[in-house]
Amino acid sequence: MNRYVLKMVGRRICVGLLTLLAVSALIFFMTNLLPGDAAQVALGQSATPETVAALRRQFGLDQPVVFRFFSWLAGLATGNFGISYASGVPVRTIVGDRIVNSLTLAAVTTAVSVPIALIVGIVSAIYRGSRLDRVLGILTMSVVAVPEFLVASLAVMLFAVKLHWVSALSFSADTSTLTGFLKAYILPVMVLCFVVMAQMVRMTRAALINQLDSAYIEMAMLKGLRLRRVVLTHAMPNVVGPVANAMALSLSYLLGGVIIVETIFSYPGLASTFVDAVSNRDLPVVQFCVLFFSVCFLLLLLIADIFTIVFNPKLRKS
């Protein structure tokens, strides 16, 4: 990796940090515009005005919003994410295990979906226009057209209720063994793969077909190179950029957009915690969850940018 690439990566990181600062300000001020009083919600409708005022002072809600924003930023910098308004315990305690569960589910889904999407996209591009390509296209569009709650419900009915292969509650199984881990994750991972794979397959196919129509690919074929070598060695490096960005957008869904899967399979992830916090107007938890989703999204885009830069010969050799 030469100096030019390192400079571009450093510039992307700086832009990401500035974006994160703007997003954090937007998150804080938007959540403070939500209707209702967090102290009133925590104490209930029977609370006296004096009790509500005392709790507002305890939460710091009587301070100016700008002062509270910079206090919140200072707390984030030191690892202090605040105290939950609903339970009175540190936010870090509430979200700690949930983050691990969400990242584990996202990692397993990524490890399964990305190779399958790449293989299906490459095969579909190589055999474009054939019966196999049409079948794969119909299957891909069918999968993305079916709502995930329907896929999850059918999976529970078939594999948990009818066949009794796995439990409908994914986290009731013992995950310390390989068999228990597979039983716990196979259904939610299968449903999430259906959700995120379609866009990756279509993007891989479209980008690869664009490269296969190029003159340098035709020259390589005329020289007698094998199709597999032409695709993997010559075409795929030029496809990495758009495919990596499409994958980053698809995989970002695995953290904040999996509330339906977490609810159906009773999976204790961060998305369900976020929804509960919104219902309870638990602003510290809401702010942390949204900020965490934003950080993950920016990290995925940064990784996609790095892949684009590293695999682009024009940028790598500048």
Side-chain angles (χ1 to χ4, degrees):
M1 189 177 293
N2 58 30
R3 184 183 301 177
Y4 183 74
V5 174
L6 291 176
K7 185 178 179 181
M8 291 195 68
V9 172
R11 188 181 303 166
R12 292 288 196 281
I13 294 175
C14 293
V15 172
L17 291 176
L18 292 176
T19 305
L20 190 60
L21 180 62
V23 169
S24 63
L26 188 64
I27 292 169
F28 187 86
F29 291 112
M30 290 297 290
T31 52
N32 277 277
L33 291 177
L34 292 174
D37 190 332
Q40 185 71 60
V41 172
L43 293 173
Q45 295 299 324
S46 60
T48 63
E50 292 78 11
T51 309
V52 174
L55 190 59
R56 284 180 58 82
R57 285 194 297 273
Q58 179 182 340
F59 287 161
L61 297 175
D62 57 335
Q63 300 291 332
V65 65
V66 177
F67 175 80
R68 283 188 280 135
F69 170 65
F70 285 106
S71 299
W72 180 63
L73 281 184
L76 291 179
T78 58
N80 179 16
F81 307 127
I83 304 296
S84 166
Y85 291 168
S87 60
V89 300
V91 174
R92 184 166 49 186
T93 304
I94 297 175
V95 302
D97 293 337
R98 300 296 183 115
I99 290 176
V100 175
N101 294 336
S102 292
L103 291 178
T104 302
L105 180 61
V108 175
T109 305
T110 302
V112 174
S113 63
V114 170
I116 296 177
L118 286 175
I119 293 173
V120 173
I122 292 172
V123 170
S124 184
I126 292 175
Y127 298 101
R128 56 177 164 169
S130 65
R131 183 175 300 176
L132 176 62
D133 180 33
R134 289 195 291 272
V135 170
L136 292 176
I138 292 173
L139 289 177
T140 303
M141 298 309 295
S142 301
V143 167
V144 74
V146 178
E148 60 181 298
F149 74 86
L150 181 59
V151 177
S153 301
L154 291 176
V156 170
M157 286 292 296
L158 178 60
F159 297 107
V161 178
K162 297 294 183 182
L163 300 177
H164 300 286
W165 287 356
V166 293
S167 171
L169 304 178
S170 64
F171 230 64
S172 62
D174 181 15
T175 58
S176 59
T177 63
L178 178 61
T179 305
F181 185 85
L182 292 176
K183 287 183 176 179
Y185 282 92
I186 188 168
L187 286 185
V189 167
M190 182 182 69
V191 174
L192 290 175
C193 284
F194 283 166
V195 175
V196 301
M197 276 179 49
Q199 185 181 1
M200 293 190 287
V201 170
R202 302 301 296 177
M203 192 65 203
T204 303
R205 179 184 181 277
L208 188 55
I209 285 178
N210 186 40
Q211 292 298 320
L212 292 177
D213 289 337
S214 302
Y216 74 94
I217 293 295
E218 184 179 1
M219 179 61 69
M221 296 296 294
L222 291 174
K223 288 183 176 179
L225 297 181
R226 293 184 177 181
L227 179 60
R228 185 175 62 180
R229 181 179 177 184
V230 172
V231 171
L232 298 180
T233 307
H234 297 277
M236 283 305 294
N238 296 317
V239 175
V240 169
V243 171
N245 280 280
M247 288 183 175
L249 294 176
S250 297
L251 297 179
S252 63
Y253 172 83
L254 296 177
L255 292 172
V258 295
I259 178 61
I260 294 177
V261 171
E262 290 186 0
T263 302
I264 291 178
F265 296 108
S266 297
Y267 189 84
L270 194 61
S272 55
T273 303
F274 171 67
V275 174
D276 293 339
V278 172
S279 303
N280 297 327
R281 210 176 186 283
D282 197 351
L283 296 186
V285 178
V286 172
Q287 291 161 353
F288 174 82
C289 290
V290 178
L291 186 64
F292 179 78
F293 297 148
S294 303
V295 170
C296 292
F297 182 69
L298 291 175
L299 281 177
L300 286 172
L301 290 182
L302 176 63
I303 293 172
D305 285 344
I306 292 175
F307 270 90
T308 303
I309 294 171
V310 171
F311 280 90
N312 190 327
K314 293 180 180 177
L315 299 177
R316 192 175 62 243
K317 296 179 180 179
S318 295

